[in-house]
Amino acid sequence: MNEYITRVLLVEDEEDAREILSFYLDTIFDEVQIASDGQEGLELYEKAYNDNKTFDLVLTDIQMPNLDGLSMIEDITKINEDQKFIIVSAYKDEEYLFKSINLNVISYFVKPLEVKNMMEMLKKVKSKVLEDKSNEPVEEVILKINNTYEYNRKTNLLYRNGELVDLSKKEKLLIEALVKNIKEIKTKEYLKEFIWKDSETSDATMRTVIKRVKDKIVDDDFIVSKKGLGYLIERNN
């Protein structure tokens, strides 16, 4: 039994096609989430991404209400430029194919679907996903941030020279947010959504939490502000 979990997001507005695709996807992948239009798909993707649960593949129709498939793909790519997509559409239109060239679209299924060809492609995609996952470096449980501080990814606790740093719930969430994909700069919007589940939280409130944490790690501060971009952890080891 493989230890890796494969996750797929299906975005399809036609009920019959949605049921067929979800059935076959369920036979191949471990987890399948379903959205009925591009806007719902984007919202599901953003929530999963913020919860650090990425999708290995996004299957989407093109012509959908609220937000079309290509627009959704463009918005998702802004969140995760490495996301892979398969387009499913009744419109075999060269214009759509041309627009999708630089959007990590790895295949294009045309309705009515040919089940045999579709299944073969999906199985190949899963095999490639598992191969890529098996080659990923194992994430260290104890993250050495600098000569003074270490962070335990399993318990989400911060230590100073082996001693636990006393952090409030919001302060812990700030550190946890910054540790995820540690090399990435976290925008104010990302941090607000992660900590408060509300991107409308005021900048002043967020700065207060950041200052409280920085005051507690002032002896070897590792939180760096990138003007106009956001915050990240600067490691020194």
Side-chain angles (χ1 to χ4, degrees), residues 101-131:
I101 286 174
N102 296 318
L103 294 174
N104 284 334
V105 175
I106 59 176
S107 189
Y108 192 104
F109 295 156
V110 179
K111 299 174 185 176
L113 299 169
E114 294 185 12
V115 174
K116 182 179 179 181
N117 292 340
M118 182 182 70
M119 292 292 283
E120 288 178 356
M121 171 58 72
L122 292 175
K123 288 176 181 177
K124 288 179 181 178
V125 170
K126 181 177 180 179
S127 295
K128 183 63 168 63
V129 165
L130 291 174
E131 180 184 345

Side-chain angles (χ1 to χ4, degrees), residues 163-178:
E163 296 292 328
L164 181 65
V165 179
D166 185 19
L167 298 173
S168 70
K169 181 179 179 180
K170 299 300 184 189
E171 292 166 359
K172 287 179 181 178
L173 285 171
L174 171 65
I175 299 294
E176 184 181 349
L178 293 171

Side-chain angles (χ1 to χ4, degrees), residues 2-231:
N2 201 293
E3 61 181 305
Y4 301 110
I5 302 297
T6 52
R7 305 181 70 247
V8 175
L9 174 61
L10 169 63
V11 188
E12 170 61 68
D13 65 315
E14 295 180 11
E15 185 176 354
D16 289 345
R18 193 165 59 241
E19 289 182 0
I20 292 170
L21 285 166
S22 63
F23 172 80
Y24 287 110
L25 287 170
D26 274 327
T27 66
I28 297 175
F29 297 93
D30 299 307
E31 295 182 14
V32 179
Q33 286 199 31
I34 301 171
S36 57
D37 61 51
Q39 185 60 42
E40 184 183 355
L42 178 60
E43 290 171 0
L44 280 174
Y45 191 93
E46 288 178 326
K47 183 180 185 304
Y49 189 83
N50 288 336
D51 291 339
N52 205 32
K53 293 182 178 180
T54 57
F55 291 101
D56 299 299
L57 181 67
V58 176
L59 273 80
T60 180
D61 196 355
I62 292 178
Q63 300 289 344
M64 295 184 292
N66 299 321
L67 187 68
D68 67 85
L70 287 183
S71 296
M72 183 196 71
I73 288 174
E74 290 172 351
D75 288 341
I76 287 176
T77 303
K78 292 175 185 176
I79 299 171
N80 178 11
E81 62 181 10
D82 296 322
Q83 182 59 59
K84 299 294 188 292
F85 303 90
I86 290 179
I87 287 178
V88 182
S89 178
Y91 302 87
K92 191 174 183 181
D93 191 321
E94 290 183 359
E95 180 183 355
Y96 291 128
L97 288 171
F98 178 77
K99 287 182 178 178
S100 68
I101 286 174
N102 296 318
L103 294 174
N104 284 334
V105 175
I106 59 176
S107 189
Y108 192 104
F109 295 156
V110 179
K111 299 174 185 176
L113 299 169
E114 294 185 12
V115 174
K116 182 179 179 181
N117 292 340
M118 182 182 70
M119 292 292 283
E120 288 178 356
M121 171 58 72
L122 292 175
K123 288 176 181 177
K124 288 179 181 178
V125 170
K126 181 177 180 179
S127 295
K128 183 63 168 63
V129 165
L130 291 174
E131 180 184 345
D132 291 344
K133 283 179 178 287
S134 66
N135 291 329
E136 289 178 355
V138 177
E139 189 175 64
E140 52 195 326
V141 175
I142 303 300
L143 174 69
K144 183 174 173 57
I145 297 175
N146 55 32
N147 292 329
T148 305
Y149 292 94
E150 291 183 342
Y151 182 80
N152 187 311
R153 293 179 188 270
K154 281 190 174 181
T155 61
N156 297 321
L157 296 176
L158 181 68
Y159 293 87
R160 177 195 296 111
N161 296 322
E163 296 292 328
L164 181 65
V165 179
D166 185 19
L167 298 173
S168 70
K169 181 179 179 180
K170 299 300 184 189
E171 292 166 359
K172 287 179 181 178
L173 285 171
L174 171 65
I175 299 294
E176 184 181 349
L178 293 171
V179 165
K180 289 182 183 296
N181 302 315
I182 194 167
K183 294 181 180 180
E184 294 182 1
I185 297 174
K186 305 304 190 301
T187 64
K188 291 187 297 182
E189 291 72 26
Y190 175 89
L191 292 174
K192 290 175 184 178
E193 188 64 35
F194 191 95
I195 299 170
W196 290 276
K197 307 299 182 186
D198 181 6
S199 59
E200 300 301 317
T201 300
S202 71
D203 288 356
T205 298
M206 188 187 71
R207 285 195 298 268
T208 297
V209 173
I210 292 172
K211 184 180 185 305
R212 287 206 306 259
V213 173
K214 289 174 73 69
D215 286 345
K216 293 180 179 181
I217 60 172
V218 67
D219 54 334
D220 203 354
D221 192 354
F222 52 80
I223 298 178
V224 177
S225 171
K226 297 294 183 180
K227 190 172 182 179
L229 298 175
Y231 298 85

